[in-house]
Amino acid sequence: METHRKGDLTEAIVIAELKKRAIPVSIPFGDNERYDVVTETPDGRLLKVQIKTGWMADGKVTFHGKSQHTNASGNVYETYDGDVDFFLVYCYELKRMYWIREDEFRTQMSLRVEEPEQVKPSINWAEDYEFDATWPPG
């Protein structure tokens, strides 16, 4: 599936999953904002959320935390740097959502699903970021 279409499908799935959980969701008008949706926490806080597609590789869910657009010079990549509050990552292979604060990484992150050959303290365990276990954010 073409990348842009897969991104649209991921957004639709995530919005449906949020609505199933009775979480209010607002979608910005147009395609010019740095965030995909705004969610509302039970205490009324509004959070700007960027939805990303994660993919399984080597026992990890991996995703990019940057945007891409094309101009006359080619592809341009831009980090979010405070433009969003959270990333909500959906992994098709696992049918799971992961909730990550924007300031936890720069351009890419992997969430370990399977036990690695060597455990290191720097591992980001997927279960620590599972949406249902971390919503609402503190």
Side-chain angles (χ1 to χ4, degrees):
M1 180 183 302
E2 178 190 331
T3 305
H4 187 74
R5 289 186 189 277
K6 190 164 193 174
D8 288 346
L9 179 59
T10 300
E11 285 184 31
I13 290 168
V14 166
I15 290 168
E17 290 295 325
L18 293 171
K19 296 308 287 177
K20 281 183 198 176
R21 291 161 174 81
I23 297 170
V25 178
S26 297
I27 301 169
F29 179 76
D31 196 23
N32 297 313
E33 305 306 326
R34 298 284 291 147
Y35 53 90
D36 293 317
V37 298
V38 174
T39 59
E40 183 178 347
T41 64
D43 64 1
R45 287 180 297 140
L46 300 177
L47 302 172
K48 295 179 286 185
V49 178
Q50 178 62 39
I51 298 170
K52 293 292 185 180
T53 303
W55 65 92
M56 281 293 298
D58 300 322
K60 300 177 284 190
V61 175
T62 301
F63 66 96
H64 292 292
K66 58 187 175 187
S67 63
Q68 174 188 337
H69 65 274
T70 306
N71 63 21
S73 302
N75 290 333
V76 177
Y77 299 95
E78 187 177 356
T79 60
Y80 288 91
D81 292 329
D83 293 333
V84 301
D85 300 306
F86 285 86
F87 288 93
L88 214 166
V89 178
Y90 182 78
C91 178
Y92 285 87
E93 293 90 344
L94 300 175
K95 295 184 175 31
R96 290 202 176 139
M97 297 190 305
Y98 300 95
W99 187 241
I100 299 105
R101 280 191 348 261
E102 184 271 337
D103 62 1
E104 286 197 47
F105 69 102
R106 182 128 173 95
T107 59
Q108 183 172 314
M109 185 175 191
S110 294
L111 305 174
R112 174 62 68 180
V113 176
E114 299 170 4
E115 194 70 30
E117 290 181 23
Q118 185 177 26
V119 176
K120 298 178 182 177
S122 61
I123 291 176
N124 296 305
W125 292 102
E127 65 185 20
D128 294 339
Y129 295 91
E130 285 187 13
F131 182 80
D132 291 324
T134 57
W135 177 265

